[in-house]
Amino acid sequence: MDFHSHRLLKSSAVLLALLSISAFSSNVSAKDSGNNIEIKTNLDSATEPEQSGWSSSKKYRHDIPIQFLGINDLHGGLERTGNVWFGATKYPNAGSAVRLASYLDNAQSSFQRENKHGHTFRVETGDMVGASTSNSALLQDEPTMQALKAMNFKIGTLGNHEFDEGLGEFHRILVGGKPTKHYNAAEMAYPHRSSGLQIVISNVVNRKTNKTPYNFKPYLIKTVKAANGKKVKVGFIGILTTTMPTLTTYKNYHPYKFIDEAQAIAKYDRLLRKKGVKAIVVLAHTGVATQTDAQTKQTSTSGPVVDILQKLYRIDPKNSVDLYFAGHSHQYANATVGHTHLVQAIYSGEAYDDIIGYLNPKTHDFAAKSLVAHVFPVLSAKQDPTVKDNAKVTAIVKDADQRTAPIVNQKIGEAAIAKNLTGRDENNQYFENETGDLVCDAQLAGAREATAKQNLHVDFAMTNGGGVRAGLAVKPDKSITWGAAQDVQPFGNILDVVSMTGQQIYDVLNQQYKNFGNGHKTYLLTAGLKYDFTKNDDQTQPFKVTKVYGNDGKPIDLHKTYHVVINEFLKGGGDYFNQFKTAKQVATAGVDTDVFVKYIKDQTKAGKPIAAPKLDRKHFVAGK
């Protein structure tokens, strides 16, 4: 479908008057040679002038106006903010649940002012919870679910982080059940209320019963009514990435089977069409990426979502999937694949999807060429002072802050200087950051202390980059709080000490640079060892590790056995590091969060305030 000329509905006056943010179609198209499916990348920009004629178009006067507001990967980010780039424009400190709520309300109000009989759906695509900030994590993410309820989200799907503590625990907080085990006092006293969110998931079934777990539905049908009484049904299909065995621990994923994404969509697309539902929306926790070629400056859209849609078009050429909300990869996307509009709104409430169209009561589908999709940033109060913080969500966040303050605000140590340590959003070119290296230092020290009585020396530490969720915050007085440390390591993974040969260490480090052909990218952080790597003339592995050596500069022996501390996620082959699965476990070293907190305490007590490590553990060597 081509974009129809339209008047873009602004989420706030400042977006037009102050920043002039609207959107444009870049008209960058490509056809997949194997599928003959056009892929068009569309970019939301800060410069394109407002278009006209969409909402007032006489062409659609007999149709029903409809709007979809979407988010993905909130991750319990009640107050988390970050830098967002739209084109060449940077928006600092974007995001937070409070600001997101206001932007969604403004977007919906703008739409309904122009379309009095229009209908708005608010949808999310997984990872609502998990890897959360401390004011949500300490309360088992129940404040996040209540914030989503206050934001009027009614339909969502599962992400991999909904499995972090077992799907049963997520279901408990979803429906407002009482805790099944004892947590901290703040969580036990929290009012456990239903979120009112309907979960739709079509490709996750119980391994034993082949049924969708917890009475979740594979699809939902919602009826939209026009002022004249005419009706159109809209179908929603939920999807979770089938790479789940690489994204959580065995005990969390093994109870379930994960059905091929395209096959599941095709199955329920056909079923919905048989029921007369032709306006179909997919809510999917599957990743997508928008890239710009450095030489040609051409922008393209790729990743697992594109692969899934291409397969869907092969097996179901007449599919009626008009809109695909993506998640999981934490990136911006706005594209069309065939006739399907594809969007993803970055991460943690830093942006939101706003899709507007018309439903045709005669065809029971979206009116031809009526869908217009945009992704907008959620600006800070400084960037956009005309948008006021949402009162309901503000109250939820304030309440969570007050309940968790006695734990979160505990001072656990001091930094050498009053400056935050960089996190994964500020990686250097070799994918190192100060907090990540510090975490590995802490795990190596903790593992050595834990195994000292066993006469077992731990040589190295490795952790996955995705396990270090934030930079370490340092207060102006140089103090470091428990909450700051927990925000860095929120998962509570068990640390395992494993034995590995030097060859296995080479192999696992090289797995960072494998091209899995599905858009998957990850990296390792290390302590106790450093390595050299260089370009490799192999598309399946564009870089290779050439030399691994200890902090003493001596190369490791390929045939010697070393002891390495890793987390239980990696031990299970998480993030495609399956070499760790072959390693023999010889000891445990506690919980990662606790180990990190203790390290900060111990270093400070020893008169060694926390300093940013030098980022020199990965060394690129040209020409080898």
Side-chain angles (χ1 to χ4, degrees):
M1 292 186 185
D2 294 325
F3 279 163
H4 181 72
S5 178
H6 70 287
R7 175 169 47 175
L8 180 62
L9 302 176
K10 299 297 182 293
S11 62
S12 71
V14 75
L15 290 180
L16 175 61
L18 185 61
L19 296 174
S20 300
I21 294 177
S22 61
F24 72 102
S25 171
S26 69
N27 292 319
V28 177
S29 301
K31 286 196 175 183
D32 177 80
S33 59
N35 300 281
N36 200 33
I37 298 169
E38 185 178 29
I39 303 169
K40 180 189 290 185
T41 299
N42 308 290
L43 298 177
D44 292 283
S45 167
T47 58
E48 186 71 6
E50 185 180 22
Q51 298 181 15
S52 62
W54 182 83
S55 62
S56 60
S57 174
K58 294 181 180 180
K59 181 179 180 179
Y60 303 111
R61 64 186 180 275
H62 299 301
D63 299 326
I64 305 172
I66 190 165
Q67 178 187 43
F68 298 88
L69 297 174
I71 63 169
N72 54 276
D73 301 277
L74 184 59
H75 285 295
L78 296 179
E79 296 175 286
R80 184 189 288 127
T81 60
N83 297 326
V84 172
W85 290 85
F86 273 65
T89 305
K90 175 184 176 180
Y91 301 107
N93 300 316
S96 85
V98 168
R99 300 292 293 173
L100 173 65
S102 296
Y103 272 83
L104 293 171
D105 286 346
N106 288 352
Q108 183 168 340
S109 296
S110 295
F111 169 72
Q112 293 183 344
R113 277 196 301 270
E114 304 254 0
N115 304 276
K116 294 181 180 179
H117 302 294
H119 187 86
T120 299
F121 287 104
R122 297 193 183 190
V123 299
E124 72 76 40
T125 60
D127 278 6
M128 296 164 272
V129 302
S132 310
T133 52
S134 52
N135 59 350
S136 182
L138 281 170
L139 299 171
Q140 291 298 103
D141 282 315
E142 295 195 62
T144 292
M145 300 308 294
Q146 293 309 306
L148 288 169
K149 183 176 183 178
M151 285 187 264
N152 206 29
F153 281 93
K154 296 294 180 64
I155 307 172
T157 195
L158 299 174
N160 52 289
H161 282 280
E162 272 70 56
F163 291 72
D164 279 354
E165 297 187 48
L167 191 55
E169 174 61 6
F170 170 72
H171 180 259
R172 178 192 73 80
I173 67 171
L174 178 76
V175 301
K178 294 182 179 180
T180 56
K181 67 178 185 178
H182 186 82
Y183 297 98
N184 59 75
E187 161 59 11
M188 302 310 289
Y190 195 79
H192 313 294
R193 302 189 182 108
S194 173
S195 66
L197 189 74
Q198 289 183 283
I199 295 295
V200 54
I201 185 70
S202 67
N203 70 328
V204 179
V205 296
N206 185 286
R207 187 175 295 277
K208 293 181 179 179
T209 65
N210 280 324
K211 294 183 178 180
T212 307
Y214 297 100
N215 293 316
F216 298 147
K217 305 299 181 184
Y219 66 90
L220 289 174
I221 299 174
K222 297 291 183 179
T223 300
V224 178
K225 298 180 181 179
N228 59 10
K230 292 183 179 179
K231 302 176 183 179
V232 177
K233 294 178 179 179
V234 180
F236 296 87
I237 301 170
I239 292 292
L240 174 61
T241 173
T242 55
T243 62
M244 280 297 291
T246 73
L247 298 171
T248 189
T249 59
Y250 178 85
K251 64 181 179 182
N252 289 337
Y253 76 75
H254 185 68
Y256 309 102
K257 291 191 291 187
F258 304 94
I259 300 164
D260 179 87
E261 300 98 335
Q263 293 284 357
I265 295 171
K267 173 182 176 179
Y268 290 103
D269 173 78
R270 293 187 184 109
L271 188 152
L272 286 167
R273 291 193 334 246
K274 286 182 180 179
K275 291 177 177 286
V277 182
K278 298 179 182 178
I280 297 176
V281 179
V282 171
L283 308 179
H285 198 72
T286 54
V288 63
T290 301
Q291 303 114 347
T292 300
D293 186 275
Q295 294 181 334
T296 66
K297 306 301 181 184
Q298 293 291 300
T299 304
S300 62
T301 302
S302 62
V305 171
V306 173
D307 298 337
I308 291 166
L309 285 172
Q310 288 172 339
K311 184 174 182 179
L312 171 67
Y313 276 80
R314 288 197 299 271
I315 61 180
D316 188 9
K318 296 181 180 180
N319 78 81
S320 193
V321 175
D322 301 278
L323 186 52
Y324 193 114
F325 288 89
H328 188 49
S329 58
H330 298 186
Q331 297 189 47
Y332 163 91
N334 186 352
T336 53
V337 180
H339 63 256
T340 305
H341 288 263
L342 163 63
V343 289
Q344 183 173 252
I346 310 178
Y347 157 75
S348 199
E350 294 174 352
Y352 66 96
D353 309 304
D354 189 350
I355 294 86
I356 301 169
Y358 285 100
L359 295 169
N360 186 323
K362 292 184 178 180
T363 65
H364 298 282
D365 202 348
F366 290 102
K369 299 183 180 180
S370 73
L371 277 176
V372 179
H374 296 291
V375 181
F376 292 116
V378 173
L379 302 181
S380 68
K382 182 177 180 180
Q383 290 279 314
D384 187 353
T386 67
V387 171
K388 304 303 179 184
D389 292 351
N390 181 280
K392 287 184 179 180
V393 178
T394 295
I396 292 169
V397 175
K398 184 177 180 180
D399 175 67
D401 286 341
Q402 290 174 342
R403 290 174 184 272
T404 58
I407 302 172
V408 170
N409 294 332
Q410 292 178 54
K411 179 180 176 180
I412 61 171
E414 291 186 356
I417 60 175
K419 183 181 178 182
N420 295 343
L421 274 64
T422 60
R424 64 180 188 160
D425 60 341
E426 297 178 88
N427 279 328
N428 68 6
Q429 68 269 41
Y430 305 137
F431 288 88
E432 271 193 272
N433 62 76
E434 294 165 350
T435 302
D437 284 0
L438 183 69
V439 164
C440 289
D441 290 341
Q443 292 181 358
L444 182 56
R448 285 175 173 174
E449 182 179 347
T451 59
K453 293 183 180 180
Q454 302 177 41
N455 196 28
L456 188 157
H457 178 72
V458 182
D459 301 283
F460 311 126
M462 296 188 200
T463 198
N464 53 307
V468 181
R469 303 302 292 192
L472 181 64
V474 178
K475 289 184 174 294
D477 65 356
K478 302 181 184 179
S479 63
I480 300 171
T481 65
W482 185 95
Q486 195 275 341
D487 288 347
V488 169
Q489 288 266 270
F491 295 113
N493 278 322
I494 299 295
L495 295 177
D496 295 327
V497 178
V498 298
S499 61
M500 302 179 72
T501 65
Q503 183 63 62
Q504 286 177 308
I505 290 171
Y506 267 88
D507 291 343
V508 79
L509 289 172
N510 272 309
Q511 285 184 319
Q512 296 175 97
Y513 303 114
K514 290 283 187 182
N515 182 357
F516 292 95
N518 59 4
H520 181 87
K521 293 180 180 179
T522 190
Y523 57 95
L524 291 170
L525 299 159
T526 68
L529 66 77
K530 301 178 182 181
Y531 67 87
D532 298 342
F533 71 107
T534 190
K535 288 186 177 180
N536 190 34
D537 189 21
D538 185 347
Q539 289 186 350
T540 64
Q541 186 176 328
F543 298 93
K544 67 177 179 180
V545 174
T546 58
K547 180 182 178 182
V548 182
Y549 43 95
N551 286 345
D552 58 5
K554 296 180 179 179
I556 67 170
D557 185 336
L558 295 180
H559 304 290
K560 182 179 176 180
T561 296
Y562 299 90
H563 293 125
V564 185
V565 58
I566 59 176
N567 61 47
E568 60 181 321
F569 170 70
L570 285 177
K571 181 63 179 74
D575 275 347
Y576 290 90
F577 290 110
N578 53 33
Q579 188 63 234
F580 284 124
K581 294 175 71 173
T582 66
K584 180 182 178 182
Q585 183 178 339
V586 295
T588 59
V591 177
D592 56 7
T593 312
D594 297 340
V595 168
F596 190 50
V597 169
K598 186 176 185 300
Y599 181 76
I600 294 171
K601 288 181 177 180
D602 289 348
Q603 291 293 103
T604 302
K605 186 177 180 180
K608 300 176 182 178
I610 299 301
K614 185 179 179 181
L615 303 184
D616 62 353
R617 303 178 190 187
K618 303 179 183 182
H619 180 219
F620 178 73
V621 180
K624 283 193 177 182

